[in-house]
Amino acid sequence: MTELNETTLNELVGRVLGDLGGAVSVPLVRIGDALGLYRTLKEIGPAKVDELADAAACAPRYVREWLAAQAASGYVHHERGRFSLTPEQALVFAEPDSPVNLIGAFDTAAAMVENQPKVQSVFKTGRGVAWGDQAGCMFCAVARLFRPGYVNALVQEWLPALDGVIDKLKSGATVADVGCGHGLSTILMAQAFPDSRFTGYDFHPGSIAPATAHAQAHGLTNLHFEVGRAQDFDGRDFDLITCFDCLHDMGDPKAAAAHIRKALKDGGVWMVVEPMAGDTLEENINPVGRLYYSASTMICVPTSLAQETGLALGAQAGERRLAEVIRSGGFTHVRRAAQTPLNMVLEAT
């Protein structure tokens, strides 16, 4: 029998206990968000238990236990019987437009747990789980997960990093947002560039309906949404086509790349936003890679395998593999135009 290294064992157990603490925090964080506990604490804190419970219209005994768990997790600050959010904690839990708001990640984690029986069953068969058959809250969770990055970087950094695209958008361009989901990315661009026209395409009718509702709620008239697959959506002569965090989910991304190339005008640009990843497993053994590999196992790979071809790139495909797929569609130039800790932005022409 191999002799145990007690130090190594204790370190592993310590890491797992930390992970379990995070895992069991998922429902508590979502409760705090849904009931406005974080938001209220930010407004009135430092506050005693009864003060927060009264302000949030919740039962004090539950709020007391919730606050204790949050303090033990380091998500809420506690001092002399009063609780508050530090500026850093508020950015993560209480400010929806913060670039580091992570509530959507907790929602996604909950959806992944709900998805377990479906994904577990296809481990044996090698089949997929269609996007429309994923856990009930998956679509909203994913939209919320990506929202902070899009709100804080899409118009401000990513589009300006593309060659000549901003000038076209300001003067009036035609844009297709392929794989638009609930349409947040499309809406942000349409708001920023009122003289351009935008079409959002997604193969999931259940996402197109809320996307259309969101556009109507914002009173936008320069965009519309349609059901359409990446490999055969309607429309031609686009100045810009975008794909946000979806190329790796497609069953046949090579066919999508070929169709997108044909749908672009001469001189048009394809912007591909994908999860940040290195080209090897060793490069991705880090906190970001850990999150993305887990999400890829539960969401991305099953989604791709449920479609025609089922290439199943995975969320950590890496720039080299992504560039190969993009070039297979007839693009000759692919470069990394911008990046964040969670995303890379590729420009293809």
Side-chain angles (χ1 to χ4, degrees), residues 181-202:
H182 282 207
L184 174 63
S185 52
T186 330
I187 289 169
L188 288 170
M189 292 188 290
Q191 287 174 320
F193 303 102
D195 291 329
S196 290
R197 298 203 58 83
F198 299 83
T199 303
Y201 298 97
D202 200 280

Side-chain angles (χ1 to χ4, degrees), residues 9-293:
L9 176 62
N10 289 335
E11 289 174 351
L12 175 60
V13 170
R15 284 199 302 274
V16 172
L17 288 174
D19 292 345
L20 288 171
V24 298
S25 292
V26 169
L28 277 76
V29 169
R30 299 184 74 220
I31 286 171
D33 174 66
L35 298 180
L37 291 168
Y38 292 118
R39 182 178 63 254
T40 304
L41 187 60
K42 178 191 172 187
E43 293 170 355
I44 71 169
K48 294 181 178 180
V49 171
D50 289 351
E51 293 171 340
L52 177 59
D54 182 63
C58 291
R61 184 63 187 90
Y62 280 109
V63 172
R64 183 194 311 168
E65 211 70 7
W66 181 85
L67 281 168
Q70 297 300 286
S73 293
Y75 297 169
V76 162
H77 179 68
H78 172 255
E79 187 173 0
R80 298 178 182 179
R82 291 185 176 273
F83 298 86
S84 62
L85 290 178
T86 65
E88 296 79 14
Q89 291 166 339
L91 283 175
V92 174
F93 296 106
E95 297 183 16
D97 289 338
S98 158
V100 292
N101 183 287
L102 290 171
I103 296 294
F106 286 88
D107 287 345
T108 304
M112 287 166 60
V113 172
E114 186 182 343
N115 233 26
Q116 180 191 333
K118 295 178 180 180
V119 176
Q120 184 173 319
S121 68
V122 296
F123 259 69
K124 292 290 188 179
T125 65
R127 296 172 183 162
V129 179
W131 182 242
D133 294 334
Q134 302 272 336
C137 62
M138 182 69 74
F139 320 116
C140 293
V142 170
R144 196 175 188 191
L145 170 64
F146 291 131
R147 182 181 185 277
Y150 298 167
V151 166
N152 288 279
L154 171 52
V155 173
Q156 302 92 324
E157 299 176 14
W158 296 348
L159 289 172
L162 306 177
D163 187 20
V165 165
I166 288 293
D167 289 339
K168 291 181 181 179
L169 289 169
K170 287 180 178 178
S171 62
T174 56
V175 182
D177 189 9
V178 177
C180 65
H182 282 207
L184 174 63
S185 52
T186 330
I187 289 169
L188 288 170
M189 292 188 290
Q191 287 174 320
F193 303 102
D195 291 329
S196 290
R197 298 203 58 83
F198 299 83
T199 303
Y201 298 97
D202 200 280
F203 78 143
H204 181 232
S207 292
I208 289 298
T212 300
H214 292 158
Q216 292 172 346
H218 285 89
L220 296 169
T221 59
N222 62 331
L223 83 165
H224 72 282
F225 294 96
E226 298 180 11
V227 176
R229 303 188 306 170
Q231 62 265 43
D232 57 13
F233 61 88
D234 292 332
R236 290 289 186 275
D237 294 327
F238 292 104
D239 296 289
L240 172 67
I241 295 179
T242 59
C243 288
F244 292 91
D245 291 291
C246 64
L247 185 68
H248 66 273
D249 293 316
M250 296 176 187
D252 194 347
K254 292 183 177 180
H259 184 68
I260 286 170
R261 177 67 188 88
K262 293 176 183 177
L264 279 169
K265 289 180 181 177
D266 289 340
V269 173
W270 183 20
M271 180 170 76
V272 180
V273 178
E274 280 286 299
M276 177 58 70
D279 293 317
T280 65
L281 172 60
E282 289 75 17
E283 293 175 87
N284 297 326
I285 297 179
N286 54 56
V288 172
R290 183 188 189 195
L291 290 172
Y292 278 141
Y293 276 129

